[in-house]
């Protein structure tokens, strides 16, 4: 009996672990909203003022193309929250009703995929509805229209933000599973998991971080191109001028030449924020 | 705060095919935060033929936080505490997702009964026995199933009703039954002595 009691004491109870997780999240929340304020890019320069020369050179280089940054909270959902805000803000600014209609059709496809994969509709419909509500409210001139300030508030609201993140996680998981043959080699090589295990443990739970696979799947499923700009240590050893690499995630079926992603994210190892491009 | 409409839909879904799935849920009155899950022991395992009850608490952030689940039927299993029924299963912790439901969680518990994971144990003693002396493990697990999971564990509501009829309040009667693994005589003894 003693041994048994001892064995159990070593492991904190589930609710204790969860309470601890929640504590950490609450501490983070005090530091930063889900999405922060738009800040001039100079805040990045200040952040790396005493950092390595590679980073300093790259931040300077970034300044040639980008003007501002909006930070996302580092809680493992930063890619999805950044994507959500960046996309909705773009629609609000451009009033691109054609794009709204297009993405709504993509959402219908995603819904079919999820049902085909055996998800009960009630498990995702509430999340889907909240995202569609946001899509419709950024178009002006309707009773439900909202301002940029309200969009910011909503994207900082735990209920709205988490529901949309969860919808994106469903969509991402659905796309990966729908195209198992395409995704499985990447996933196997990266994680040693099969597609179903990967979706269950690295896509569907809140707080699981996103990488190439997630971004490709979400971008493809919704038909929204995404640019990811990398601020990392690469090119450290060369003495040629630092280059800032970026990768464009172009949805399958898009005409490559015409696409210039309007969702632009800054990636630093383990984290995504939103970038704003200089207007010409 | 609890997403009651979602919980209602989940209950409907579970009720619809409970005879096929082997898992079901009973609710206590109108309270959607506390319920009782039932899992039939998988065929071909030492749990076969048993009905295992699970105490379920839904936190207010459900489905963004996992349901709290704990066996109230005593189970001899590496990933279940033989003392208090606490369960070691990733989806009830950090691997929980709002894409899962009470039904999928109960089905995962059923799957856990079929495929123990002794390398990630909840109960070190059971896990050691499982790894070192599998035959003894099987025997004990079967004996526990016979003793605790068969003798009318289905009728937990009836037992509760009986105790209430004797004059004990429902809450007290339930917690006595819970703490005695559903054994009504032990529960009655406990109630009378306390």
């Amino acid at each position: 009996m003693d041994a048994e009691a001892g064995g159990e004491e070593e492991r904190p109870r589930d609710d204790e672990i969860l309470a601890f997780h929640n504590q950490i999240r609450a501490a983070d929340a005090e530091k930063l909203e889900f999405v922060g304020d738009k800040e001039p890019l100079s805040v990045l320069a200040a952040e790396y003022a005493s950092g390595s020369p590679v980073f300093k050179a790259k931040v300077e280089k970034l300044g040639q193309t980008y003007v501002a940054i909006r930070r996302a909270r580092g809680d493992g959902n930063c890619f999805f929250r950044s994507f959500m805000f960046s996309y909705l803000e773009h629609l609000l600014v451009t009033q691109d009703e054609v794009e709204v209609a297009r993405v709504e059709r993509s959402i219908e496809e995603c819904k079919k995929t999820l049902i085909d994969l055996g998800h009960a509709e009630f498990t995702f419909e509430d999340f889907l509805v909240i995202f569609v509500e946001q899509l419709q409210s950024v178009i002006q001139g309707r009773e439900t229209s909202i301002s940029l300030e309200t969009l910011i508030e909503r994207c900082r609201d735990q209920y709205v933000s988490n529901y949309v993140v969860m919808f994106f996680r469903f969509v991402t998981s659905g796309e990966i599973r729908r195209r198992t043959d395409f995704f499985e080699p990447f996933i196997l090589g990266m994680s040693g998991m099969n597609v179903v295990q990967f979706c269950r443990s690295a896509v569907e739970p809140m707080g699981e971080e996103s990488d190439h696979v997630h971004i490709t799947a979400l971008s493809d499923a919704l038909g929204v191109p995404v640019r990811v700009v990398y601020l990392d240590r690469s090119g450290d050893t060369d003495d040629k001028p630092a280059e800032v690499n970026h990768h464009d995630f172009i949805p399958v079926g898009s005409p490559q030449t015409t696409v210039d992603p309007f969702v632009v994210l800054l990636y630093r190892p383990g984290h995504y924020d939103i970038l704003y491009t200089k207007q010409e | 705060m609890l997403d009651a409409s979602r919980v209602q839909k989940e209950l409907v879904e579970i009720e619809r095919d409970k005879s096929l799935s082997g898992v079901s849920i009973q609710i206590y009155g109108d309270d959607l935060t506390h319920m009782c899950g039932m899992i039939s022991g998988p065929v071909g395992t030492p749990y076969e033929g048993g009905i295992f009850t699970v105490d379920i608490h839904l936190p207010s952030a459900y489905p963004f936080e996992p349901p709290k689940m704990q066996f109230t039927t005593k189970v001899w299993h590496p990933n279940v505490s033989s003392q208090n029924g606490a369960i070691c299963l990733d989806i009830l912790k950090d691997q929980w997702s709002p894409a899962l439901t009470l039904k999928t969680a109960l089905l995962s518990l059923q799957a856990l009964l079929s495929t123990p994971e002794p390398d990630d144990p909840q109960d070190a003693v059971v896990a050691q026995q499982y790894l070192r002396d599998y035959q003894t493990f099987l025997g004990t697990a079967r004996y526990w199933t016979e003793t605790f999971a068969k003798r009318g564990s289905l009728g937990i509501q009836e037992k509760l009703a009986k105790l209430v009829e004797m004059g004990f309040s429902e809450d007290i009667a339930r917690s006595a039954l819970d703490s005695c693994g559903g054994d009504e005589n032990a529960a009655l003894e406990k109630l009378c002595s306390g």
Side-chain angles (χ1 to χ4, degrees), chain A residues 96-109:
Chain A
D96 188 347
E97 291 189 49
V98 176
E99 171 62 13
V100 172
R102 190 204 57 74
V103 84
E104 283 183 347
R105 287 194 299 276
S106 299
I107 291 170
E108 279 305 307
E109 289 303 312

Side-chain angles (χ1 to χ4, degrees), chain A residues 1 4 7-8 11 14-15 17-18 22 120 122-123 125-127 162-163 166 170 200-201 204-206 208, chain B residues 3 6 9-10 64-66 81-83 87-88 90-91 93 95-99 101 120-121 123 125:
Chain A
M1 279 305 170
E4 189 162 290
E8 294 206 5
R11 177 191 286 276
D14 294 355
D15 51 332
I17 296 171
L18 265 178
N22 291 340
F122 73 79
T123 57
E125 67 184 348
D126 294 349
F127 307 136
N162 282 350
Y163 268 49
M166 199 48 222
F170 261 111
R200 207 196 87 171
S201 66
E204 289 169 9
M206 290 292 283
E208 286 294 329
Chain B
D3 189 343
R6 152 123 182 191
K9 289 175 199 160
E10 288 201 28
F64 281 89
E65 275 180 23
S81 165
S82 57
Q83 304 270 296
I87 301 161
C88 176
D90 56 358
I91 62 151
K93 292 181 283 189
Q95 293 287 285
W96 170 256
S97 161
T101 61
D120 187 19
D123 193 306
V125 170

Side-chain angles (χ1 to χ4, degrees), chain A residues 139-151:
Chain A
I139 299 300
Q140 299 304 296
R142 300 175 184 170
E143 236 174 79
T144 52
S145 297
I146 58 169
S147 63
L148 180 59
E149 287 66 37
T150 309
L151 177 63

Side-chain angles (χ1 to χ4, degrees), chain A residues 63-78:
Chain A
Q64 294 172 7
T65 319
Y66 304 101
V67 282
I69 180 173
R70 192 188 289 274
R71 296 174 204 267
R73 189 189 294 174
D75 64 355
N77 300 304
C78 53

Side-chain angles (χ1 to χ4, degrees), chain B residues 109-175:
Chain B
L109 286 184
Q110 199 180 38
L112 186 68
L113 290 180
S114 298
T115 0
E117 291 172 26
D119 296 329
D120 187 19
Q122 175 75 34
D123 193 306
V125 170
V126 184
Q128 276 188 15
Q129 190 188 63
Y130 181 92
L131 291 170
R132 290 181 190 165
D133 189 357
Y134 185 66
Q135 287 312 316
T136 308
F137 163 81
L138 278 183
T140 315
R142 258 189 226 117
Y143 178 73
W144 279 42
T145 302
E146 288 299 324
T147 312
F148 303 115
K150 284 196 176 164
R151 216 160 20 97
S153 48
L154 255 183
I156 198 92
Q157 285 297 338
E158 287 90 275
K159 288 178 195 165
L160 190 59
K162 245 195 239 171
L163 290 171
V164 170
E165 221 168 82
M166 289 178 204
F168 300 104
S169 89
E170 194 176 329
D171 282 348
I172 294 172
R174 178 178 300 132
S175 75

Side-chain angles (χ1 to χ4, degrees), chain A residues 181-249:
Chain A
D181 291 348
F182 173 76
F183 283 105
E184 190 136 77
F186 298 102
I187 289 172
L188 262 177
M190 201 175 61
S191 62
M193 287 186 258
N194 68 34
V195 156
V196 172
Q197 290 166 329
F198 180 80
C199 287
R200 207 196 87 171
S201 66
V203 181
E204 289 169 9
M206 290 292 283
E208 286 294 329
E209 290 180 10
S210 298
D211 57 37
H212 267 70
V213 170
H214 302 70
I215 303 174
T216 305
L218 185 70
S219 166
D220 281 354
L222 294 179
V224 177
V226 178
R227 172 167 298 170
V228 177
V229 179
Y230 296 90
L231 181 55
D232 53 23
R233 210 171 270 283
S234 64
D236 202 351
T237 49
D238 301 335
D239 43 20
K240 62 182 184 205
E243 284 298 325
V244 181
N245 300 317
H246 72 256
H247 181 79
D248 286 349
F249 294 82

